[in-house]
Amino acid sequence: MNKIISTILFSILFGLFAQAQQKTQNVVIVTLDGLRWQEVFGGLDQTLVNNTIYTREPEKIKASFGGETQVESRRKLFPFLWNVMAQNGQLRGNRNEGSKMNVANRYQFSYPGYNEIFTGFPDETVNSNDNINNKNTSVLEFLNHKNDFKGKIAVFSSWEAFPYILNEPRSGVYVNSDKDTLNFKNPNLKLVNDIQLLAPRPVGVRPDVLTYMAGREYLKAYHPRVLYIALDETDDLPHAGMYDQYLMAAHAEDAMLADIWNILQFDRFYKDKTTLVITCDHGRGGLGKDTWKDHGENIQESGETWIAIMGPNVKQMGEVKTNEQLFQKQCAATIAQLLGFTFTAEHPVAEPLQEIIEK
């Protein structure tokens, strides 16, 4: 009898110890659609910024985001990534330093990319951007079936396809997308809703700043355990051939990242218990090429991506400069592992990014 009691007590204590060791209790994920690793790690593309077809006022853009070196330029373009995340977390995907991250799906555009990020499975049958419910299980759906996470996962996206990518009807994950009304009593969310109904849509979807504000105010009011914000303008503006606007959108989204991190640090629910994950769904054509506007399986560089991550049990490695080959399909299992779970589904799931998490 004493042996049984001892075994039970050991199991309880071991469980409490494991829980205490699990430093990440919440995750905030932000994707910057189609943002090239070339700007993230190298700052301005000099050929594109000097091309008046793509940049209307080159000197103004160079004054804002240029520099004597690539390091100076990238810090001006992405001050949060390089002054905060690079000091307290890690950035991977600078191919010039040997760190490579790629999509594993062959199509190299958005729906297949987001499917890969969140399901861990580069399914070749997911081959369009059509609004079709995804048959694959995402890590968000997996987490939503865990007792401590059920009803505590929320997604805010500029692009209308996300309720389908994450199969909102089956998964039960709350997804607010594009023109969706924000039906909340919270006055700040009501205000965001009023603004989004009246705001212009220059690129055809909800402006990223309104998507961000909706996600931010939801986080402050309802404290989800997992929040995902999917921003879009860093893809739409390149497709329109507007390099200057692409840079300004990227800079603005870096400011949104700084803002959400600041909020997390001043909220006791999140402070020191939350990991921030930032990545993109695909790359695009390379430096100085007209193909910078586009992406897809016929554009070589559009499979090249990157990741930035920072949190309580993330190794503080800064900019990783070792030879490595990572894949977007590893993100789903990594998100689960950060929260203490092994992501499993009815389809294959890639291994997590072991290099990221402290043991």
Side-chain angles (χ1 to χ4, degrees):
M1 187 68 175
N2 288 339
K3 187 176 181 180
I4 294 171
I5 293 171
S6 297
T7 302
I8 293 170
L9 286 172
F10 176 80
S11 298
I12 293 169
L13 290 171
F14 182 80
L16 290 171
F17 175 76
Q19 189 174 28
Q21 290 293 99
Q22 189 55 47
K23 297 177 184 178
T24 294
Q25 297 179 25
N26 317 288
V27 173
V28 174
I29 308 154
V30 183
T31 52
L32 311 179
D33 197 300
L35 180 60
R36 296 196 307 179
W37 71 267
Q38 287 91 336
E39 277 81 21
V40 171
F41 292 97
L44 297 187
D45 182 331
Q46 293 297 327
T47 301
L48 297 180
V49 80
N50 287 308
N51 185 332
T52 54
I53 295 174
Y54 300 136
T55 305
R56 287 174 297 177
E57 297 180 285
E59 295 309 315
K60 284 188 177 181
I61 294 298
K62 286 187 279 188
S64 296
F65 307 126
E68 294 296 321
T69 65
Q70 289 185 330
V71 169
E72 184 182 346
S73 179
R74 73 187 187 184
R75 283 186 180 275
K76 291 171 74 173
L77 187 56
F78 300 103
F80 176 73
L81 286 182
W82 290 107
N83 294 327
V84 180
M85 294 202 76
Q87 303 303 314
N88 301 287
Q90 53 184 275
L91 286 86
R92 295 173 179 268
N94 187 349
R95 307 176 85 84
N96 295 329
E97 298 289 351
S99 175
K100 299 180 180 67
M101 190 162 190
N102 285 73
V103 301
N105 76 83
R106 59 179 286 193
Y107 305 108
Q108 302 171 22
F109 58 85
S110 290
Y111 194 137
Y114 290 118
N115 168 74
E116 180 179 335
I117 289 170
F118 287 100
T119 71
F121 177 42
D123 185 354
E124 290 211 355
T125 68
V126 178
N127 57 11
S128 80
N129 278 340
D130 295 343
N131 290 340
I132 299 170
N133 279 326
N134 194 348
K135 65 182 182 298
N136 299 317
T137 299
S138 75
V139 67
L140 303 184
E141 180 175 354
F142 167 82
L143 290 169
N144 198 45
H145 287 106
K146 304 298 180 184
N147 289 336
D148 290 344
F149 289 83
K150 188 170 182 60
K152 297 177 182 178
I153 300 172
V155 177
F156 292 83
S157 69
S158 296
W159 188 32
E160 66 178 10
F162 274 94
Y164 302 92
I165 295 169
L166 299 171
N167 201 330
E168 184 178 20
R170 187 192 68 212
S171 69
V173 172
Y174 173 67
V175 185
N176 183 279
S177 175
D178 191 23
K179 297 179 181 179
D180 289 349
T181 302
L182 295 159
N183 289 315
F184 298 100
K185 294 181 180 179
N186 179 274
N188 291 339
L189 284 163
K190 283 186 174 182
L191 177 60
V192 175
N193 190 62
D194 290 346
I195 295 171
Q196 76 170 5
L197 292 175
L198 297 172
R201 295 169 182 263
V203 295
V205 297
R206 176 166 61 189
D208 280 346
V209 66
L210 295 181
T211 296
Y212 168 71
M213 292 301 293
R216 186 189 85 165
E217 294 307 314
Y218 183 93
L219 176 128
K220 290 162 63 176
Y222 300 106
H223 287 115
R225 296 288 304 276
V226 179
L227 176 69
Y228 171 38
I229 300 175
L231 304 176
D232 202 58
E233 289 168 10
T234 46
D235 189 57
D236 289 321
L237 293 166
H239 282 311
M242 303 169 73
Y243 188 67
D244 47 0
Q245 299 300 312
Y246 161 70
L247 294 173
M248 287 190 280
H251 182 67
E253 291 173 3
D254 180 88
M256 295 174 203
L257 297 173
D259 185 61
I260 199 77
W261 185 251
N262 184 60
I263 288 166
L264 295 172
Q265 302 319 297
F266 285 92
D267 188 320
R268 283 187 290 180
F269 184 85
Y270 293 110
K271 181 175 171 56
D272 299 329
K273 296 176 285 188
T274 304
T275 291
L276 177 63
V277 180
I278 307 161
T279 190
C280 62
D281 53 330
H282 55 73
R284 46 194 343 107
L287 287 174
K289 299 180 181 179
D290 288 337
T291 53
W292 80 275
K293 296 183 293 182
D294 300 311
H295 53 87
E297 59 185 314
N298 295 321
I299 298 175
Q300 184 177 0
E301 300 92 342
S302 56
E304 301 171 357
T305 58
W306 59 277
I307 190 170
I309 185 165
M310 174 172 63
N313 55 317
V314 173
K315 297 175 184 176
Q316 294 184 11
M317 299 177 66
E319 180 184 6
V320 174
K321 297 182 179 181
T322 55
N323 291 326
E324 60 181 356
Q325 178 63 72
L326 311 176
F327 290 97
Q328 291 291 98
K329 64 182 179 179
Q330 297 177 268
C331 290
T334 303
I335 292 165
Q337 188 176 74
L338 282 163
L339 293 166
F341 299 103
T342 299
F343 176 35
T344 58
E346 74 287 350
H347 51 72
V349 174
E351 291 294 314
L353 294 163
Q354 299 292 353
E355 304 88 343
I356 283 177
I357 302 172
E358 285 185 339
K359 300 301 183 184

